Amino acid sequence: MIYSTDGIPSFFGTANQYPQISIDPINNLYMFMSRPFDLLKLMVVLFVTAIVFIIIRKKHIDDQVRELSQNALELTPEQFMRLRSASLGGRKRYALKLNYAGVYIIHNKTKNLYYVGQGKQVLNRVYAHFSGRGNGDVYADYKYGDQFTIRTIALKNSGFSNLNELERYCISYYNAYYHGYNKTRGNRR
């Protein structure tokens, strides 16, 4: 049995028997640096964690772009912008490396209107519409608060031989010329 200085039994011992914990960050850093093996372990753990994070993020972006290109994913403009600007820690936007030729279908859910367009780099083309450099009517409705969704179809594996055919088919399918934003039935070249 350990007795404290005032004669009362103590089951936990006295404060002097336990190491003092410093809350001084400089002292803690010095103590940590004095054990290089612990520092090396920490660096390895941080490095492996960063690599795993990048791999998981890359797979998530790859999956989203693939689903978007197969017309299996519908995104809001805000979700699209986040996907388009996603990076893997650097300044370059990783999703833009996955850009593809195809058509995009922009749906104004508020007014039930469609706009169908095409692009050799469809992610850049869709971005233009929601940043004021595309169809002016789509952008105006977007800025005034209408709710939109975006879908895309990659030309590759679509069954169509060129973008013009795919675009014309989608304009017809979504009735985007008669009841939508499209001013033409599609390119004829």
Side-chain angles (χ1 to χ4, degrees):
M1 174 92 34
I2 301 173
Y3 291 92
S4 65
T5 53
D6 58 1
I8 300 171
S10 172
F11 295 101
F12 303 108
T14 62
N16 298 357
Q17 294 175 317
Y18 299 104
Q20 296 295 314
I21 298 173
S22 170
I23 58 171
D24 177 19
I26 302 296
N27 188 30
N28 286 341
L29 181 62
Y30 174 73
M31 286 176 53
F32 192 72
M33 297 291 282
S34 66
R35 297 181 282 186
F37 187 69
D38 289 344
L39 181 61
L40 181 62
K41 286 193 295 190
L42 177 64
M43 289 173 54
V44 168
V45 167
L46 290 175
F47 179 75
V48 169
T49 302
I51 295 298
V52 168
F53 174 77
I54 289 171
I55 290 169
I56 290 170
R57 181 139 171 85
K58 180 181 180 297
K59 181 171 178 2
H60 178 72
I61 294 169
D62 288 347
D63 290 347
Q64 279 195 311
V65 171
R66 186 184 69 257
E67 288 178 28
L68 187 64
S69 73
Q70 296 170 348
N71 197 17
L73 182 63
E74 185 175 72
L75 298 174
T76 66
E78 294 75 20
Q79 291 169 324
F80 176 84
M81 298 298 187
R82 278 195 303 276
L83 173 63
R84 184 183 178 275
S85 65
S87 71
L88 297 176
R91 298 181 89 187
K92 297 198 178 202
R93 296 181 177 126
Y94 175 71
L96 292 182
K97 292 180 181 181
L98 306 174
N99 228 329
Y100 52 92
V103 301
Y104 50 91
I105 300 104
I106 298 173
H107 179 210
N108 180 332
K109 292 178 82 166
T110 307
K111 296 179 179 175
N112 196 28
L113 299 175
Y114 287 91
Y115 179 73
V116 176
Q118 64 169 288
K120 291 181 181 176
Q121 294 186 330
V122 80
L123 300 179
N124 293 346
R125 194 69 191 108
V126 171
Y127 174 77
H129 289 288
F130 292 99
S131 60
R133 295 187 307 269
N135 183 296
D137 296 330
V138 169
Y139 183 68
D141 286 345
Y142 173 67
K143 289 310 276 182
Y144 283 110
D146 287 1
Q147 299 299 307
F148 283 86
T149 59
I150 302 160
R151 299 182 82 104
T152 67
I153 303 171
L155 176 61
K156 184 179 178 181
N157 299 325
S158 69
F160 290 88
S161 61
N162 62 55
L163 285 174
N164 292 334
E165 289 176 12
L166 179 57
E167 181 188 36
R168 280 194 305 272
Y169 173 80
C170 290
I171 289 171
S172 173
Y173 181 84
Y174 289 102
N175 201 18
Y177 175 69
Y178 293 108
H179 187 68
Y181 294 103
N182 286 82
K183 306 282 191 246
T184 67
R185 292 183 183 98
N187 291 324
R188 292 283 173 202
R189 294 182 264 155

